[in-house]
Amino acid sequence: MRYGKLVNGVFVEAPKNLKLPDGRVICNFNSNIDIMDEHGFKPVKEDMVEFNQATETLIIDSFVDNDDHVLITYKKAAKPHAL
């Protein structure tokens, strides 16, 4: 499962290794749920919509912090025509 958090409205995915402000590094950070939780990272849930893969693509519509998880919502967009 993916973990992430919003920082000033920007989605940040949990990194493999996290460098702390004092310079120390937590290795394999993204594999330890308890440590990710301590640093504000939450499970990521995605609200996917059905789309036609031949003519449409998905783009991220929003990120919402719902206290216990981060929700990523998508919307459909027309694929650009190939040149």
Side-chain angles (χ1 to χ4, degrees), residues 45-73:
K45 295 184 180 181
E46 297 177 288
D47 184 13
M48 304 293 275
V49 295
E50 290 189 29
F51 68 105
N52 181 327
Q53 291 184 354
T55 61
E56 300 173 316
T57 188
L58 291 180
I59 58 174
I60 294 173
D61 187 36
S62 66
F63 298 102
V64 178
D65 185 333
N66 286 333
D67 293 326
D68 64 337
H69 66 276
V70 174
L71 177 65
I72 301 174
T73 57

Side-chain angles (χ1 to χ4, degrees), residues 19-58:
K19 185 173 182 177
L20 300 173
D22 65 5
R24 294 179 296 151
V25 175
I26 301 173
C27 295
N28 300 313
F29 175 77
N30 66 353
S31 63
N32 189 316
I33 294 170
D34 292 333
I35 293 176
M36 287 189 293
D37 185 54
E38 287 176 27
H39 290 273
F41 289 87
K42 303 172 184 182
V44 173
K45 295 184 180 181
E46 297 177 288
D47 184 13
M48 304 293 275
V49 295
E50 290 189 29
F51 68 105
N52 181 327
Q53 291 184 354
T55 61
E56 300 173 316
T57 188
L58 291 180

